């Protein structure tokens, strides 16, 4: 992640929290992320992991893509590849590119690169208000949805079921690249 996006993400998280009238302690209670860690993220002292951002965005009632898009600012209908926000998890090397232009929240396309052996987990709350489909473009993805494991190969597409804790794992020896299509559930 660029330094500019790192700072913008910290600012966006703080802005979204305060816009919702939440204190750091209230966001900590909702997300399960410690108040101290939230403060460190908002101050730009640490680069948060994908799992932490997933928990925080879910607690704010938005997707991870919306959080990253909020950091980018601005509405656009065309998202050129070199302008699409890219974020890399500092722990796993998991890289996500927000392919969609800044959206109205109805549809998001996210390209993910998952290094060999990497695992990234998200809580059930991250899926509570969205529908997801995962399409594997290269490599192999082991996707755990609650107690159910799915082994997906190149070209396979999976529609997620009810909200459950999920884990993305690349069991292969080469990078796995997949596309996630996200839509909001009807209220």
């Amino acid at each position: 992640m660029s330094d500019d996006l790192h700072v913008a993400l910290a600012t966006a998280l703080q802005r979204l929290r305060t816009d919702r009238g939440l204190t750091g302690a209230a966001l900590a209670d909702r997300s399960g992320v410690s108040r101290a860690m939230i403060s460190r993220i908002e101050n730009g002292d640490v680069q948060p992991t994908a799992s932490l951002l997933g928990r925080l965005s879910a607690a704010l009632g938005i997707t991870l893509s919306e959080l990253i898009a909020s950091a980018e600012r601005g509405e656009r209908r065309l998202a050129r590849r070199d302008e699409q926000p890219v974020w890399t998890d500092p722990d796993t090397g998991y890289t996500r590119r927000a392919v969609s232009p800044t959206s109205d929240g109805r549809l998001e396309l996210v390209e993910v690169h998952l290094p060999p052996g990497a695992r990234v987990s998200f809580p059930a709350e991250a899926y509570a208000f969205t529908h997801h489909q995962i399409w594997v473009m290269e490599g192999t993805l082991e996707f755990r949805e609650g107690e159910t494991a799915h082994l997906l190969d190149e070209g396979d597409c999976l529609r997620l079921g009810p909200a459950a804790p999920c884990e993305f794992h690349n069991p292969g020896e080469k990078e796995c690249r997949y596309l996630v299509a996200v839509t909001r559930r009807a209220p």
Side-chain angles (χ1 to χ4, degrees):
M1 173 169 46
S2 73
D3 287 340
D4 289 343
L5 184 54
H6 175 74
V7 170
L9 193 55
T11 303
L13 181 62
Q14 185 175 39
R15 185 183 73 254
L16 289 164
R17 177 182 57 75
T18 57
D19 286 353
R20 285 162 174 73
L22 296 173
T23 63
L27 182 57
D29 287 343
R30 283 186 179 189
S31 67
V33 176
S34 75
R35 172 65 189 113
M37 179 56 76
I38 291 170
S39 178
R40 292 182 70 206
I41 293 168
E42 287 182 352
N43 290 331
D45 296 336
V46 297
Q47 196 177 104
T49 64
S51 182
L52 278 177
L53 287 179
R55 290 164 57 189
L56 291 168
S57 61
L60 292 167
I62 60 174
T63 65
L64 181 53
S65 294
E66 288 172 311
L67 176 59
I68 291 173
S70 177
E72 280 265 296
R73 296 186 193 110
E75 289 294 319
R76 31 181 200 148
R77 291 183 34 216
L78 174 63
R80 303 236 184 249
R81 181 173 176 80
D82 62 345
E83 297 171 347
Q84 296 166 356
V86 176
W87 179 81
T88 301
D89 183 329
D91 284 354
T92 64
Y94 155 100
T95 300
R96 66 186 326 277
R97 174 184 303 279
V99 177
S100 300
T102 303
S103 71
D104 57 8
R106 286 186 232 152
L107 172 67
E108 298 172 32
L109 299 175
V110 178
E111 178 187 7
V112 177
H113 293 254
L114 193 62
R119 291 178 187 270
V120 178
S121 300
F122 295 99
E125 296 80 18
Y127 302 92
F129 51 91
T130 57
H131 294 284
H132 287 73
Q133 289 192 24
I134 303 166
W135 177 45
V136 177
M137 297 183 289
E138 294 176 15
T140 300
L141 177 66
E142 181 180 83
F143 180 75
R144 184 165 295 280
E145 179 179 29
E147 297 299 315
T148 305
H150 305 276
L151 188 61
L152 306 172
D153 290 315
E154 189 171 315
D156 292 348
C157 187
L158 172 69
R159 178 179 52 85
L160 274 60
C166 293
E167 179 184 74
F168 295 81
H169 172 232
N170 179 354
E173 295 181 8
K174 65 177 188 170
E175 181 177 80
C176 178
R177 186 170 69 96
Y178 55 94
L179 181 78
V180 181
V182 182
T183 59
R184 285 202 170 270
R185 293 184 191 268

